[in-house]
């Protein structure tokens, strides 16, 4: 790029200025466009705010704070006392409602999972704004805001579930009612076995979403275009029936994933998972002294995430910008086998 600019400068300085400006604008569009895509729709909070008599309260200030990053979002209730907080990353949240003439109402410890639509209503009490009524959030026993049939697997479960080959397709098959014809265990978008069906539909009627964007190989019969590391996924949800029109891209199962993100503190982890024929029992159809089929599967990698800060120059409170990096390697050696005995070497020369 420096070479091109030097050539333009010999011809027309104004052209150089336009060139630099256009490229600067293009760079900004790429940066902000990429950032917008990474914040696909993850979870939503809805609610209604009322007074002690049950009447709705308008213009109530609602503050939603992400506990992992301390990032706060502010909303206001409409004339019907309702509010909607959309595009919230998964994690733990504290929600606070403030209005003149009422005590501050706060709910702590709310857990949002990928694709959630959670209702948090407030009934505010009369009193000074310096007083606070705090409620600890409890698990939702009955989901009345959505009729979807779905199943969520969080990051801790993914790290502990012994799925074959740590394949994402194997995670999809764990949903109740799933029909799996998976015969392999390679966790790759090309060559991976994605044979999972829901509700009698074909596997190519499924779709995979990553951070709210389509991650589907349209020509690959229901597979993914990008197969992320299982340890880079924060949550994995299988929507199998009666889900919202927001997920109107497929007629069978919709698998939506959200990647992990950085937090206000630095975190790092490393792992290795392996399979080896030395750990396996002998195949019934290959008794000794037949050679055992060779198998070496090693999956290893690391995660690192945290705040992006340059001291007092940028993000000193560590609430604005965060990073997350994942790297994983997968090595596979898989030998074939046959049940037929090799002929005696004497037969090679016609000596029967």
């Amino acid at each position: 790029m420096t070479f091109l600019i030097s050539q333009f400068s010999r011809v027309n300085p104004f052209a150089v200025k336009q060139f630099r400006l256009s490229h600067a604008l293009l760079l900004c569009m790429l940066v902000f466009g990429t950032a917008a895509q990474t914040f696909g729709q993850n979870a939503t909070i809805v609610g209604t705010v009322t007074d002690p008599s049950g009447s709705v309260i308008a213009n109530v200030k609602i503050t939603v704070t992400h506990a992992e990053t301390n990032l706060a979002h502010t909303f206001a209730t409409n004339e019907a006392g309702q509010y909607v907080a959309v595009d919230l990353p998964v994690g733990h949240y504290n929600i606070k409602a403030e209005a003149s003439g009422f005590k501050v109402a706060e709910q702590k410890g709310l857990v949002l999972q990928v694709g959630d639509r959670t209702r948090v209503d407030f009934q505010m009490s009369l009193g000074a704004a310096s007083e606070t009524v705090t409620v600890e959030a409890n698990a939702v026993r009955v989901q009345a805001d959505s009729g979807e049939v779905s199943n969520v697997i969080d990051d801790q479960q993914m790290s502990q579930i012994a799925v074959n080959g740590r394949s994402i397709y194997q995670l999809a098959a764990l949903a109740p009612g799933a029909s799996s014809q998976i015969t392999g265990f390679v966790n790759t978008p090309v060559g991976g076995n994605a044979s999972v069906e829901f509700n009698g539909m074909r596997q190519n009627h499924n779709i995979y979403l990553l951070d709210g964007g389509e991650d589907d190989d349209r020509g690959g019969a229901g597979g993914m275009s990008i197969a992320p590391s299982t340890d880079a996924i924060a949550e994995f949800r299988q929507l199998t029936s009666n889900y919202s029109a927001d997920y109107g891209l497929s007629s069978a199962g919709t698998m939506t994933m959200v990647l992990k993100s950085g937090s206000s503190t630095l975190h790092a982890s490393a792992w290795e998972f392996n399979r080896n024929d030395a750990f396996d029992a002998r195949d019934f159809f290959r008794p000794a002294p037949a050679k055992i089929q060779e198998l070496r599967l090693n999956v290893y990698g690391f995660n690192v995430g945290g705040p992006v800060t340059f001291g007092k120059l940028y993000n000193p409170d560590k609430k604005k910008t965060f990073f997350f990096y994942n790297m994983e390697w997968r090595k596979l050696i898989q030998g074939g086998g046959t049940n037929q005995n090799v002929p005696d070497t004497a037969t090679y020369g016609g000596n029967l």
Side-chain angles (χ1 to χ4, degrees):
M1 183 177 295
T2 304
F3 173 77
L4 291 175
I5 291 176
S6 63
Q7 293 298 312
F8 279 123
S9 63
R10 296 176 183 176
V11 180
N12 189 341
F14 180 71
V16 176
K17 184 176 181 180
Q18 282 189 323
F19 177 82
R20 292 173 175 171
L21 180 60
S22 62
H23 279 70
L25 292 175
L26 178 60
L27 179 61
C28 290
M29 290 174 63
L30 289 174
V31 170
F32 287 108
T34 303
Q37 287 185 349
T38 59
F39 288 98
Q41 181 172 343
N42 296 320
T44 302
I45 300 175
V46 299
T48 304
V49 182
T50 59
D51 62 17
S53 67
S55 300
V56 298
I57 309 176
N59 297 320
V60 177
K61 180 182 177 182
I62 305 294
T63 304
V64 180
T65 304
H66 190 211
E68 283 79 5
T69 62
N70 292 321
L71 185 63
H73 302 272
T74 303
F75 307 88
T77 59
N78 59 16
E79 61 277 5
Q82 300 172 341
Y83 72 93
V84 180
V86 299
D87 293 342
L88 299 175
V90 299
H92 298 76
Y93 283 85
N94 300 324
I95 309 173
K96 183 167 58 175
E98 300 172 275
S100 178
F102 295 90
K103 298 178 182 179
V104 176
E106 187 173 12
Q107 186 159 335
K108 293 184 176 181
L110 178 68
V111 178
L112 290 184
Q113 297 177 319
V114 56
D116 272 353
R117 184 178 178 85
T118 303
R119 174 168 291 276
V120 179
D121 296 327
F122 290 99
Q123 187 173 47
M124 304 188 71
S125 303
L126 297 174
S130 58
E131 299 178 84
T132 303
V133 179
T134 303
V135 178
E136 294 295 330
N138 297 317
V140 178
R141 299 182 182 276
V142 178
Q143 174 57 270
D145 290 282
S146 174
E148 70 183 30
V149 178
S150 63
N151 183 60
V152 177
I153 303 175
D154 60 34
D155 62 332
Q156 184 176 9
Q157 292 171 326
M158 278 186 283
S159 66
Q160 297 176 355
I161 295 175
V163 296
N164 193 1
R166 297 187 60 74
S167 170
I168 294 176
Y169 300 120
Q170 297 278 0
L171 291 176
L174 295 178
S179 176
S180 172
Q181 282 79 46
I182 296 178
T183 56
F185 51 84
V186 180
N187 187 32
T188 58
V190 178
N193 194 323
S195 300
V196 183
E197 293 81 29
F198 299 94
N199 304 324
M201 306 296 288
R202 296 181 179 180
Q203 72 176 54
N204 55 342
H205 293 167
N206 297 333
I207 192 169
Y208 291 83
L209 305 177
L210 181 62
D211 277 343
E214 183 176 334
D215 182 23
D216 200 62
D217 183 5
R218 290 295 184 177
M224 293 178 291
S225 58
I226 299 174
S229 164
T230 305
D231 287 85
I233 300 175
E235 289 183 351
F236 182 95
R237 181 188 291 266
Q238 309 103 308
L239 301 118
T240 59
S241 179
N242 204 31
Y243 41 81
S244 168
D246 295 345
Y247 306 98
L249 298 175
S250 68
S251 56
T254 295
M255 273 60 67
T256 175
M257 301 165 279
V258 58
L259 296 177
K260 295 177 180 178
S261 61
S263 62
S264 56
T265 56
L266 184 66
H267 293 279
S269 62
W271 64 87
E272 179 180 4
F273 299 90
N274 67 81
R275 287 187 57 186
N276 194 297
D277 57 67
F279 305 148
D280 298 339
R282 178 176 291 276
D283 189 341
F284 175 81
F285 297 101
R286 297 184 61 81
K291 186 178 179 181
I292 298 177
Q293 292 176 251
E294 187 176 17
L295 176 61
R296 304 285 191 276
L297 174 63
N298 295 84
V299 181
Y300 53 94
F302 67 90
N303 291 338
V304 59
V308 177
T309 178
F310 299 99
K312 296 181 179 180
L313 297 177
Y314 179 75
N315 196 21
D317 54 357
K318 302 178 182 179
K319 294 183 179 180
K320 293 181 179 180
T321 309
F322 310 91
F323 77 95
F324 175 80
Y325 184 83
N326 164 267
M327 178 65 77
E328 181 175 275
W329 295 267
R330 305 161 188 161
K331 292 185 177 181
L332 173 64
I333 299 175
Q334 189 173 17
T338 177
N339 292 330
Q340 297 179 350
N341 294 324
V342 177
D344 189 272
T345 56
T347 64
Y348 296 165
N351 185 2
L352 301 178

